[in-house]
Amino acid sequence: MKCRRCREPAVIDIRRHNAAFCRDCFLHHCREQVRRAIDEHRMIEPGERVLVAVSGGKDSLALWHLLGALGHEADGLYIGLGIDEYSEESAALVRTFATGRGLKLHEVDLAAEWGFDVPTAARTTRRAPCGSCGLSKRHLFNRVALTHGYPVVATGHNLDDEAAVLLGNVLRWETGYLARQYPVLPASDGFARKVKPLIRLGEREMAAYCVLEGIDYQVEECPMAAGNRHLGYKEVLNALEDRSPGAKAAFLFGFLDRGHDLFAGLAGIAGTGGGASGEGPVLAPCASCGSPTTGEVCAFCRLRERVRDDTGPAPGPEPASAPSQTPRP
Ligand code: AMP
Ligand code: FES
Ligand code: ZN
């Protein structure tokens, strides 16, 4: 097996590209895919500071590394979710990555700063933990971005993640979610832009990137996500991909190119090029934390209150008042 670019011996083959690469050309390929995703969807403007949400897994650590390699000023954000040793190990891996490379890392500990952790929230709501986990992460990503003046938040969702979400949305014809499934969510008042620069790279490529770059990452899956529907969708898509390489990418990119705007139109949301999010619902500051919300109190604060009512007063201090900064569009 020879490298497609330089004809040296290859270390990895990527069936959907019908190509194999040596180490250096593979790393170049990853950088090019991220650069292309960023350019194609205008994810990051030159000179913008990026806040990268890093979980300690391969995708987000590789993303942080790749953004740096492409010359972006990118700082990290780790959220301690309180999932026992899994969270402690993940935090240690993120800190090692950041200190070893002299990178700036923000940390938020859900229990210490907001009075609850993901296992407690899951017990209170009696729902799958991923629900309160996702809600808390989205809230805190945005809050930290606004507080520290980052116009854009990047997450490590890759091609496999996005194709699995798409399959789930299509299986239930979730037209509202299909209208919003896109690698860029534009900024709006009180919300930073959200971007997914890894959509052109698969899970296997991200693992190979970390190994070849010597990035130590959390290899365990989150113990609370076992049995989660998306893992099943990923298995189904992998079986399809095995029989027809490229099927997964065709499914996702076909939707982004030709399907998304139809659903966005149905939902009355501006299309892909737009940048504006259309006539959204009216937002006002949350009475408790100041984040923009459609109700009086945001979903994150309602969750906090439910857990507090269930378990008694929170040990941590009441967090300071709302972030006031509005991100640049
Ligand atoms: P997940 O929701 O676990 O599939 O993770 C999706 C993306 O969210 C990751 O690639 C990270 O960018 C981000 N993320 C997940 N967990 C954390 C965390 N504990 N702290 C910061 N970012 C996270
Ligand atoms: Fe959120 Fe596992 S990382 S429930
Ligand atoms: Zn709130």
Side-chain angles (χ1 to χ4, degrees):
M1 217 172 40
K2 288 215 163 76
C3 171
R4 176 164 89 180
R5 257 181 104 224
C6 73
R7 314 309 299 164
E8 290 294 311
V11 295
I12 182 168
D13 72 318
I14 307 177
R15 285 176 69 204
R16 80 169 182 286
H17 289 302
N18 201 13
F21 294 109
C22 70
R23 176 185 183 277
D24 287 352
C25 293
F26 172 71
L27 298 175
H28 170 85
H29 154 83
C30 293
R31 290 191 295 272
E32 279 306 293
Q33 295 299 319
V34 171
R35 196 182 52 72
R36 231 177 115 178
I38 292 174
D39 289 352
E40 199 174 330
H41 299 291
R42 303 194 53 194
M43 292 183 178
I44 305 168
E45 298 296 334
E48 276 185 332
R49 289 165 69 227
V50 186
L51 183 66
V52 191
V54 272
S55 62
K58 61 188 184 321
D59 304 303
S60 47
L61 285 177
L63 172 61
W64 199 2
H65 192 272
L66 280 158
L67 289 176
L70 290 171
H72 295 284
E73 192 189 327
D75 299 339
L77 166 62
Y78 175 77
I79 306 206
L81 301 163
I83 308 174
D84 304 325
E85 301 95 68
Y86 173 76
S87 288
E88 282 157 33
E89 278 169 28
S90 305
L93 289 160
V94 173
R95 287 179 199 132
T96 305
F97 180 90
T99 28
R101 291 168 176 81
L103 295 170
K104 179 167 175 170
L105 174 67
H106 299 269
E107 290 196 47
V108 175
D109 187 81
L110 203 50
E113 293 178 45
W114 295 93
F116 71 97
D117 57 21
V118 164
T120 317
R123 275 196 300 278
T124 299
T125 56
R126 295 198 187 82
R127 293 267 176 90
C130 301
S132 14
C133 176
L135 167 74
S136 305
K137 285 190 292 202
R138 284 191 298 276
H139 178 91
L140 295 170
F141 293 167
N142 197 59
R143 188 178 173 92
V144 173
L146 296 194
T147 307
H148 296 276
Y150 294 93
V152 50
V153 176
T155 53
H157 296 93
N158 60 34
L159 196 164
D160 295 68
D161 298 323
E162 291 301 293
V165 169
L166 177 61
L167 181 59
N169 287 339
V170 167
L171 287 175
R172 280 181 212 77
W173 291 113
E174 297 276 12
T175 53
Y177 290 151
L178 288 166
R180 284 173 191 78
Q181 186 175 352
Y182 206 65
V184 184
L185 281 182
S188 56
D189 206 17
F191 293 100
R193 191 183 322 128
K194 313 285 178 338
V195 301
K196 297 172 181 173
L198 296 185
I199 44 147
R200 303 185 60 88
L201 291 163
E203 212 134 82
R204 193 169 144 262
E205 285 154 283
M206 297 332 298
Y209 185 89
C210 287
V211 171
L212 294 174
E213 281 290 4
I215 299 171
D216 210 3
Y217 63 90
Q218 172 64 278
V219 287
E220 301 298 326
E221 290 286 342
C222 165
M224 306 210 75
N228 158 321
R229 272 200 215 120
H230 281 121
L231 297 178
Y233 299 149
K234 279 188 178 172
E235 280 170 24
V236 169
L237 287 168
N238 284 340
L240 264 178
E241 182 76 17
D242 245 8
R243 295 171 73 134
S244 18
K248 216 186 286 181
F251 178 51
L252 179 64
F253 298 136
F255 166 73
L256 296 179
D257 289 343
R258 300 186 296 281
H260 171 267
D261 278 7
L262 299 175
F263 291 99
L266 277 178
I269 295 174
T272 51
S277 48
E279 292 271 309
V282 179
L283 298 171
C286 163
S288 176
C289 75
S291 298
T293 173
T294 49
E296 201 189 321
V297 175
C298 76
F300 177 70
C301 290
R302 288 202 305 275
L303 175 64
R304 278 203 298 144
E305 281 165 20
R306 272 188 78 179
V307 179
R308 191 165 48 202
D309 291 347
D310 208 43
T311 57
E318 192 64 12
S321 63
S324 56
Q325 226 157 339
T326 307
R328 277 186 284 150

